[in-house]
Every structure is written in structure tokens, then in C-alpha cells.
Amino acid sequence: MRDQPRPPGIPERGHAVSSAPAAVSAGRSKSASRPPAAVARRAVARLTMPVLLLLPAMVIIVGLVGYPLVRTVYLSFTDTGLGELIYGGSTWVGLDNYKEVFADEHLRASLVNTVVFGTVCVIGTMVFGFCVALLLNQRLRGNWFFAIAVLLPWAVPALAASAIFKWLFDSRYGFVNWVLVELGFSGFEDYAWFAGRFSAYVAIFITVVWQSFPFIALSLLAGLQTIPKETLHAAAVDGAGPWNRFRLVTLPLLRPIVAVLVVFSTIWDFKIFDQIYVMAAGVPDRAADTAAVAAYREGFALSHYGLGSSVAVVLFVILLIFSLLYVRLIGREGTA
Amino acid sequence: MRKFSVAVVGVVLAAVVAACGGSDDQQTGDKATASGKLSGSISVWIMDPGSPKIQDVVKQYGTDFEAAHPGTKVDIQFVPWAQAHDKFVTAMAGGKVPDVAEMGTTWTPEFADQGGLVEQPKISKGDYVSSLVDAATLNGKVYGKPWYAGARALIYRKDMLEKAGVEPPTTWDETMAAAKAIKSKVGGGVYPVSFTGLSEHMYLPTIWQAGGQIATQDGETWKSALNSPEAAKALDYYASFYKDGLDPKAAVGWEEPDAQTAFANGDVAMLIAGGWTYNSIIATKPELEKKMGTALTPAGPSGQNTAFAGGSHLVQFQESKNKDLGAAFIDFMLEPAQLNKFTSEIGFLPGTTDGIKASGYLDDPQRKPFAEQLLEHSAVYPPSPKWGGLEGANIFDGEIQKVMKGQATGQEAVAELAKKMDEEFAG
């Protein structure tokens, strides 16, 4: 971006920032001829505008991300309940809540569910997204139409999609069971998808993948279209079949974008809430709850805001670890 | 371009802040004047009854009240039941409470315990459905006026029972026998009952029917009474229908509305439900009115046929700035003539004895069982401040589901539940 010639007369916002070090060093070299106060004033004047411009964004980020984060971490070390939340006066309990998170069978299970089910969803979304992207990348008639149609699931609110899929998987009135029975799988007559953890996860997995593949597919499609045709032709001339072309040429070239998409998907699928909240509510003993739902229920339903916060913090830490891991992996590949 | 978008964000932000702050002082100056004449405005939260027709009845209360008291303003908002508990919590935490609200009877002690509700003076038990006054009582003080009440009874399909050759059951044993007969003789994929995994108002009362208790009070503290052979027997009885295939397979994960849908669709022969459900089934499937019969809840081994008395209270919040107007509006809604406009639509009974007399419910043979169930065979859950939380977290559902799925015995489930309840009562 920066190398591109800028049209004259249009000052860019980056200008003030990028030229600041130059101004400072220039000022330093002439420091003998100028009083330091003037230099300082100039520097302040140069910084005022950027700071002012950044301020609204800063206020929003600090207000909407920073404060809740700090407050959640603080609450997680207290015994805050409904009364303490309204009138204050909570007590510091140290790590008690965290001990409870790992001691409580349901909360511990919800963390395991989050990691296992989240990972499966990431893999499912990436694989399906890749398949769709490769299909859309073919020069087929009407592919532009499909490229737009693919976006539709993404535009459906998660809550609405969950409610729709819950009905699709309904035991007696659901479309899925009807189709399966018509196809000859009579075991699915009145099959109760949400009466067991595994079958419920199958239904929720399909919902999550259906909802999140469009973004992955379109991002990968964009990536696929940047791959020079010559490279693929050259590989073909050298005798590489379609699978080897994909494995040895396409995939390595797409690696950076795949890595970013995996990070995004991980964050989305680990903090999955709506689908679980709607679809897994009836799973016996709430065995299919994920950490986000468990934190919500612990906090808002049982009014154990301290314990709920600590579940949220543990989820945050898990996400942080996964994200850092991926970032490191990307970095290593970049240097390799 | 970037400068422009930053400016836009700034303007939007300012607008948002202004919008949020704008409602702050809505109620300043809305005080009743010293002379006793009502003035000012109040905000009222009513649980969303779901149907526009019933909403209109409630809205009409506001309009009529404003007409009777010129210079007053009643702002009625509908809050969905599912979000109501959270909404009350956040409203209290943020100091933006309504002046008057409808509150589920099991929540009233919880919010009263936080000091959020105004004590209602001059409540005499004879004027109201007494179990609902109990439900609003915390440490001897009453914090809500019963608005409407209801208890679940038995709704059945006359035609299906006839085909199976059985009479409406009056005891647990008869229920089981009827269920087996229906299963073998009716066919067509019809299930005899729909005992669901997520409806505590269906399964908890079976503990009373078995002769057990849910919790006992000692001074200000409560102790779970679930760890008893009676309670274990009750859960085993409830789950046996599911285990024997007399209950839809999916019912383990159903909530009450799912059971009602199945009944309305003709997939279920017997349903434990209240008068409000009876009304809504007739509203959706008028042809079922002739096919449906009603009876009291079947009695358990103790001879008791107790059902849960549910309903709601009208409460006032401590932080309300216009308590006089709020109290006047509550009293207006509780006048027998006004009350019955609402309760007859919604299928509940009025929470006042005068209201019940005026309702004519006791003269309608189809609806009489619901009234009789409430007035003579109903009880309330322990009015402990902790109950709302227990209910909110559905701690009971998980254990009953385990018993239904055969993963735990009734005795194991009640022992576990008693432990959880006591932790919650103590905490």
C-alpha cells in the first residue's frame, strides 16, 4: 500500500503517524538551533490529531472489550451472587471458583465438550468449505449464482438457524427423520436426536458447519483465484495429477490464508452458544453443554456470577492458548 | 475517506450515548400529589401471554385506568417468560426497574430477599388463593398480590380412551393400566402419555402424590426432603412410562409445549396440563373440544392428588418512584370484573376469591376440574429465596432424565438432588 503513489493534494491519515519519527529525528539533529520546549510543543501538536482520531475507537474498545474483560476476571475471584451484584459487598475467594470449575463434573465436562466438539466443527467446516471453494473455482456454468447462494446460510441469524434445524431434526415431525425413513432406514422412525449426547452433537455439528462454511469457502475461493494458472499448468506438464496438483501446489500456496481461517473458526466454534443453547437444552443431564452455555447458566440462571465468570475466563484462556499456538505455527511456516 | 468514517463513528457513538442516557430521568417529577389524587406515570412489565388478543386485554387495562384517572400514564411492556428472570436481574442491578411487574410466583421470594420488592400491606388470606399468598411470603411479610393462578389436571382424549376400553384414571395404578391398554389397542403411533424430561411441574408434584415432601423449613432455613423412599418411588413411577415405551422417545428432551403440541396433533392420549393449555388447544384445534375430557390429577399411593399451584403475583419495586400510582393500578387490575377479562382469556383462575366467584369456572363441567384442582388439591414449592435459582438452573431435569434413560435409579436421583438442593439452600 505504502509504495503506491499517492495522488497529490490528498493527505493520508497515516501521514502524520509515519512522518512523526522523521520529524523527531530531524528535530534532534537541529536541537542546537531550537529550544527544547518548542520541539516538545511541535511533537505534541503533531500527536494531537492522531490521538484525537484514535480516541473514539479507543473508547469503544476499552468500554466494550477492556472493561468487561477486567470485570469478568475480577468477578471470577469473588463469590458474587445476585445480591452482591445489585448492592455490592462481594468477598474475595481467591482460586475457589477455579477449583470448583475443575471439580464440578458438569463444568469440567462442558470444557472438554468445548475443545472436542469445537475442534471437530473446525475440521468439518474447513473440509466442507474447501470442497465448496474448489467446486466454485471450476469454470462451470452458473457458478456465479452458486457463489452468491452459498452466502445465504451465513446471513441467517444463528438463533433462527438453530430453531429451524431443531425442527428439521424433530423426532416425529422432522424432515430429516422423514427422509431417512423414506430412504429405507426404518430405525429413524421417531428417532429422538436430542435424547442422547452423541446424536445431538451430530445434529448440532451439521447446523454449525452449515452456518459457518460460507465464509470459509468464499475466503478460500478468493485465495484460489490468486494462484497463478502458470504454476498449475507447469505442474500439469510435469505430470502431476489433480490430487498432487492440489496437495503440492494449491495447498502450500494457500497455507497462510488457511491458517488465518483456522484461527477464526476455532474462536467461533469454541465460543459457540446459540446452537447449543437452543438445540442441546433437552439433552439428558445437559451433557452436551459447552463452556459458553455453562457459564451463562451458572451465572444468569443460578445467579452464581463469580463461578460463571471463572468458567468464562477459563474458556478465554483456552482460546488464547489455541490462538497463540496457531500464530506461532503461521510464523514458523512464514520463515521456512 | 478514513477521516470521514472516523467522524461518522464519533457521531454514531455520541448518538448512542445520548440515546442511552435519554431515558434516565423518565420518571422524575412523576410523584403522586399530596392531596392523594393520582398523577404521573408508571411503567408496567407483564409477561407476554403470546396471543395478541390477550395482549389487547392487558393494554386495555392501561387505557381504562388512564381514562379513570386523568393525568396518569401507564406504559405497559410485554416481557417473554423465558427472558424475564434475566431481565429482572439486570433491571435491578442497573437500577432501571419497572414500577409494577407481573412475577412468576416462585421468583417473588428470591427478589424480595434481595430487598428489591415492596411489602404489600393488608393482605388477608381469605381474599386471595391462599397457596399463592404463601408463595409470596418471606419471613412473614407478603411481597406480591396474587393475580392469577392455575394447577395442572388431567386432559385426555375421550375417543382414544374409549377405543382402549378404559375410564379416565384416578390413581397411579389406573394410569399405568390405561396407558398399557391405549398402547396396545389404539395404534396409529399414538403414545398414551407425554411425561417429559424438562417439565418439573409434571414430575415434582408426583413426590407429593407419593406422600413425600420437597423441602422442609426450620426457622429461616430450608432443608431438602427429597432423599426419601416416597420421592424415589415418585421418580421411578414417572420414569416407568418412558422406560416401558408408553411415552414418546423424544419426550426425555421435551419441554411442556412440546408435549402439548404432540397432544394437539393427536399423537398423545393423556396430558398433564392446566386450563390455559386446554384453552390454547381449543384455540388451535377447535375440533378437539368435543373429543377432550378433563379430570383431576390421578392420586398416588398416599391418596393425595396434589398438583403444583402456579401463577403470578403483581409486585412493586423498591426503586419505583411512583408507588402510590403503582398500588392503585394493581388494585384496579384485581377488581373482579377487570380480573376476569384477563383470566377467562388466558385460561387461568383469578388469584382473588371474589374473582373466582365471578368467573363462573365452577359451573363449567369441562373446566371445573382445573378450579377444583387449584382450590382443593394444590400446593406450592418451598417459598425459599433460593428456589428461583434452583428452578432457573433446572437442576431437577438432569436427574429425572437419568432415571428415564435408566442411567440412575429413583433413589440415586433423589439422593443427588437432595445434595444439590442443600448446597443451594446453604449457599
Side-chain angles (χ1 to χ4, degrees), chain A residues 53 60 82-83 86-87 171-173 189-190 192 195 281-286 296-297 300-305, chain B residues 6 13 86 89 92 110 114-115 189 191 198 249-250 252-253 262 265 267 389 392-394 398 401-402 405 424:
Chain A
L53 290 172
I60 294 174
L82 181 58
I86 297 172
Y87 302 109
S171 66
R172 178 154 291 192
Y173 317 118
E189 176 99 50
D190 281 356
V283 175
D285 206 20
R286 294 206 159 249
Y296 171 83
R297 275 165 38 79
F300 287 93
L302 263 174
S303 298
H304 296 158
Y305 294 92
Chain B
V6 169
L13 187 71
D86 294 354
V89 171
M92 283 172 74
E110 183 189 2
Q114 306 301 335
Y191 284 95
L198 301 181
K249 280 180 232 166
V252 68
N265 285 342
D267 292 328
N394 296 326
Q401 284 175 319
K402 278 192 200 164
K405 296 273 282 181
E424 202 56 38

Side-chain angles (χ1 to χ4, degrees), chain B residues 126-215:
Chain B
D127 294 343
Y128 295 93
V129 173
S130 63
S131 52
L132 286 201
V133 177
D134 292 342
T137 309
L138 182 77
N139 304 332
K141 292 179 180 162
V142 182
Y143 290 94
K145 287 187 172 174
W147 184 20
Y148 60 79
R152 287 164 182 76
L154 178 70
I155 305 179
Y156 58 89
R157 284 283 297 267
K158 285 180 192 164
D159 50 335
M160 290 177 185
L161 264 64
E162 213 165 276
K163 202 169 171 191
V166 289
E167 289 294 310
T170 59
T171 66
W172 282 10
D173 291 343
E174 286 177 28
T175 310
M176 185 44 105
K180 285 183 173 151
I182 292 166
K183 177 80 179 172
S184 61
K185 292 184 190 149
V186 174
V190 169
Y191 284 95
V193 295
S194 57
F195 288 172
T196 76
L198 301 181
S199 326
E200 63 196 36
H201 306 319
M202 285 191 189
Y203 57 77
L204 284 182
T206 60
I207 294 166
W208 291 323
Q209 293 156 21
Q213 286 296 320
I214 291 172

Side-chain angles (χ1 to χ4, degrees), chain B residues 249-307:
Chain B
K249 280 180 232 166
V252 68
W254 277 1
E255 298 181 19
E256 270 192 277
D258 299 311
Q260 290 154 14
T261 308
F263 183 86
N265 285 342
D267 292 328
V268 165
M270 295 189 282
L271 180 72
I272 297 289
W276 57 98
T277 305
Y278 182 79
N279 277 15
S280 83
I281 291 171
I282 292 175
T284 38
K285 291 261 172 89
E287 67 272 22
L288 280 184
E289 184 165 9
K290 293 223 155 40
K291 293 182 180 168
M292 280 194 292
T294 56
L296 292 175
T297 296
S302 72
Q304 297 292 317
N305 59 352
T306 316

Side-chain angles (χ1 to χ4, degrees), chain A residues 69-255:
Chain A
L69 183 65
V70 171
R71 174 116 172 115
T72 305
V73 172
Y74 168 74
L75 282 177
S76 73
F77 290 104
T78 67
D79 68 342
T80 304
L82 181 58
E84 289 81 8
L85 194 72
I86 297 172
Y87 302 109
S90 56
T91 16
W92 185 266
V93 294
L95 287 172
D96 280 8
N97 286 332
Y98 289 92
K99 285 180 195 150
E100 173 85 20
V101 170
F102 293 102
D104 186 284
E105 207 181 316
H106 177 251
L107 293 179
R108 200 177 48 215
S110 75
L111 289 171
V112 175
N113 286 345
T114 304
V115 174
V116 175
F117 182 65
T119 308
V120 173
C121 283
V122 171
I123 295 170
T125 312
M126 290 304 298
V127 170
F128 190 59
F130 231 121
C131 294
V132 173
L134 289 171
L135 269 177
L136 289 176
N137 200 35
Q138 306 301 311
R139 295 179 169 278
L140 298 175
R141 271 160 66 92
N143 248 0
W144 61 271
F145 170 77
F146 290 112
I148 296 168
V150 146
L151 266 177
L152 285 178
W154 206 42
V156 179
L159 206 61
S162 310
I164 293 166
F165 272 80
K166 196 175 180 187
W167 275 109
L168 288 177
F169 282 95
D170 188 88
S171 66
R172 178 154 291 192
Y173 317 118
F175 177 76
V176 174
N177 281 356
W178 178 76
V179 169
L180 288 170
V181 170
E182 291 292 305
L183 289 175
F185 300 98
S186 56
F188 285 95
E189 176 99 50
D190 281 356
Y191 184 77
W193 287 91
F194 301 107
R197 176 161 73 158
F198 183 76
S199 55
Y201 270 146
V202 170
I204 299 169
F205 170 80
I206 292 171
T207 314
V208 171
V209 170
W210 181 80
Q211 274 246 284
S212 43
F213 87 89
F215 178 77
I216 305 294
L218 290 186
S219 305
L220 286 172
L221 179 62
L224 284 172
Q225 291 180 343
T226 62
I227 294 177
K229 296 270 179 310
E230 296 78 13
T231 325
L232 288 167
H233 283 309
V237 168
D238 288 345
W243 168 244
N244 275 337
R245 281 206 300 276
F246 175 72
R247 191 170 64 88
L248 298 171
V249 180
T250 311
L251 209 51
L253 284 171
L254 284 183
R255 197 162 270 171

